Structures are given as C-alpha cells and as structure tokens.
Amino acid sequence: MAKSTQSKSASKGRPVVSSAHLADGASPALSELEFSINLAATAYHRWMVRCAAAAGAQLTPLEVLIMHTVRHRDRPKRLTDITLVLDIEDTHLATYALRKLEAAGLVEATRAGKEKLIGPTAAGIAFCENYRQIREQLLVGPARSQGPSEDMLSQLAQQMRLLSGSYNQAARAAATL
C-alpha cells in the first residue's frame, strides 16, 4: 500500500486492527485485512438493505443476494445451485429467505419433473431493475470517479476469491480439531 493511502496508525508501523492479540502473530497484515473485510462487509450489507428499500422491498442482505442470484441470466435455479454459488452452508437459511421472497411476490417456484426450480416473477425482475438503476446512480458513478480502476477491482476480486479458499480450507481443518 502506498504511504499516502495509509492511516496515521499504520504509517507508524502499527496495523489498523480490531484484535491486537491476533495481529501479534506471524501476519499482522492478515489481521489488518480481516478488519478491513469486516468493515467492508458491514458497509456492503447496509448498502444492500438500503438500496433494496429504495428499490421497493424490505429485504435482508441474504435475501438481496439470493434475489439477484435467482435473477442471474434469467434462468430458473435449483436451491442447491443457489447455495453453491453463494457458498451457503446452512441450506435452511436459503430456504427461509426464498419463502420470504416468494411471499413478497418476487420469486416463484415451478416444477421440472421432480426438481423444484426458482425463478423471478415480473415484480422480482422489476425490483432487480430498480436496484440496478439506484446502484448505478448512487454507487457506481461515484466509485468510478474516485475509486480503483475496473482492472484493479477485477484483480482485487480475484485475490478475494483466492483468499476465501484459504479461509474455507482453514475452516474445514478447524472443524477437525
């Protein structure tokens, strides 16, 4: 990180962390990243809820993620596909969110043989379009003018996906202890 973008605390050699006892280990930078991920995740969840409300629906962050996944490529999805894409371990959380989305009239279930498929309703498609327009206006425009380039965002996303694999592997290992 360039010195001009570091915080005062970090520029003095101390990482910006929420748990100094974790930063005392072999990788203080990882502790700093974890704190930043937490701040980013909290802000992102807040954004999703407020954007969804502005788009016309009172949804939780998980419901917003599931709604956009259901709408993705305008093809019906199986529950297992939704949980796989979003890396949801507890299927009942996705099932509950889908029930709420169905009750709100944003998704509907259909059958293809024995399989239950979830797809967006016309109201769900309209919600996603409203959400997209609000996102473009309030988030994308300002982020493009003052934030990282598209290439840098893509590189960061790739690094985050790689890092998530490390955390998933560590979680599996921790479950065996």
Side-chain angles (χ1 to χ4, degrees), residues 6-169:
Q6 291 179 332
S7 71
K8 284 188 175 188
S9 187
S11 67
K12 294 178 184 176
R14 292 188 317 253
V16 178
V17 298
S18 65
S19 302
H21 61 282
L22 297 177
D24 285 341
S27 182
L30 187 59
S31 295
E32 187 172 15
L33 177 65
E34 289 169 345
F35 184 50
S36 296
I37 289 170
N38 184 57
L39 293 176
T42 302
Y44 180 54
H45 288 173
R46 184 179 307 113
W47 157 254
M48 286 190 292
V49 167
R50 301 248 169 93
C51 187
Q58 300 298 317
L59 303 177
T60 66
L62 181 59
E63 292 161 1
V64 173
L65 289 172
I66 288 175
M67 184 66 229
H68 289 301
T69 300
V70 167
R71 172 77 202 281
H72 181 63
R73 303 209 192 276
D74 291 320
R75 290 190 301 247
K77 312 289 184 299
R78 298 177 307 157
L79 174 63
T80 56
D81 296 329
I82 294 167
T83 58
L84 177 67
V85 166
L86 295 176
D87 197 18
I88 299 171
E89 189 173 330
D90 297 324
T91 305
H92 71 279
L93 296 174
T95 302
Y96 181 69
L98 283 166
R99 277 193 214 127
K100 286 181 66 181
L101 290 168
E102 194 169 11
L106 299 174
V107 302
E108 62 186 351
T110 58
R111 291 264 179 211
K114 292 182 178 182
E115 285 192 314
K116 181 179 176 181
L117 300 173
I118 310 296
T121 62
I125 292 169
F127 164 78
C128 288
E129 183 56 27
N130 289 341
Y131 188 102
R132 186 192 71 75
Q133 289 174 358
I134 293 165
R135 181 178 177 271
E136 289 288 324
Q137 177 187 357
L138 299 179
L139 184 64
V140 174
R144 288 190 77 186
S145 68
Q146 59 190 327
S149 69
E150 288 292 301
D151 285 341
M152 188 178 287
L153 287 173
S154 289
Q155 290 171 14
L156 181 58
Q158 181 181 10
Q159 291 300 313
M160 295 297 291
R161 287 189 302 272
L162 290 172
L163 190 59
S164 71
S166 297
Y167 277 97
N168 276 330
Q169 178 60 34

Side-chain angles (χ1 to χ4, degrees), residues 168-177:
N168 276 330
Q169 178 60 34
R172 284 190 294 277
T176 67
L177 297 178

